[in-house]
Amino acid sequence: MSYSAEYVSTGARVGLRPFRASDGPEFTARVRESRELHRPWLSPPATLEEYEPYAAQRAGSGFLVCELATGDIAGFVNVNNIVRGAFQCGALGYGAFAHAAGRGLFGEGFDLLLAYAFGADGLALHRLEANIQPGNTASIGLVRGRGFRLEGLSPEFLYVAGAWRDHERWAVTRGASAF
């Protein structure tokens, strides 16, 4: 079954598409299945009551990574806090779901997002930032492998899983990216 009409971008195995209200049941079930994978790095919405405002806030800048063969949600990538004008920057928030982890699906989707975020037909940004907790080696590996550079440490930067957590600041610009 093909779902290509819904996608802003497709790769060999995954597509990138906007959040929909109807994704709530699958998205929140995947979040609950992935608690151990996500802890303590992120806390995506695990109930429909949390999902609805979360998805609505990401209109135009939040995307699901979905398997093309089935339409199943493999993860999500959000471009938050987009600033236009002279800055042209957004901050990434993302996560893979446990059933897709280790299969390369999320990495493919992340690459699609980078191309879309930097592309003239997409978000047309110049810079993307990823704020990552220092111990999250999988996330650091994901961005490092795509040309992001470490720019510093922000102590107690984000409130995640009940605590203010330090984050490393990683960034890439359009000219420094392969996308």
Side-chain angles (χ1 to χ4, degrees), residues 148-163:
F148 283 66
R149 64 192 169 272
L150 178 62
E151 294 188 334
L153 178 73
S154 297
E156 299 182 22
F157 183 68
L158 288 173
Y159 193 77
V160 179

Side-chain angles (χ1 to χ4, degrees), residues 60-134:
S61 63
F63 303 94
L64 298 174
V65 176
C66 300
E67 294 185 66
L68 291 176
T70 63
D72 291 347
I73 300 170
F76 59 94
V77 186
N78 303 312
V79 185
N80 303 306
N81 305 324
I82 294 175
V83 179
R84 295 294 182 182
F87 200 29
Q88 296 298 326
C89 181
L92 296 174
Y94 52 87
F97 290 130
H99 76 283
R103 296 172 47 204
L105 299 171
F106 186 77
E108 182 181 331
F110 195 83
D111 291 344
L112 293 173
L113 181 274
L114 292 176
Y116 182 78
F118 288 134
D121 293 335
L123 299 176
L125 296 174
H126 172 71
R127 175 184 171 89
L128 287 170
E129 300 177 354
N131 296 292
I132 304 169
Q133 293 176 54

Side-chain angles (χ1 to χ4, degrees), residues 12-36:
R13 298 180 298 152
V14 301
L16 200 64
R17 70 167 174 79
F19 284 81
R20 300 180 305 217
S22 61
D23 293 317
E26 181 184 358
F27 186 92
T28 56
R30 298 289 187 201
V31 167
R32 291 188 301 273
E33 292 167 3
S34 303
R35 280 192 176 133
E36 290 305 310

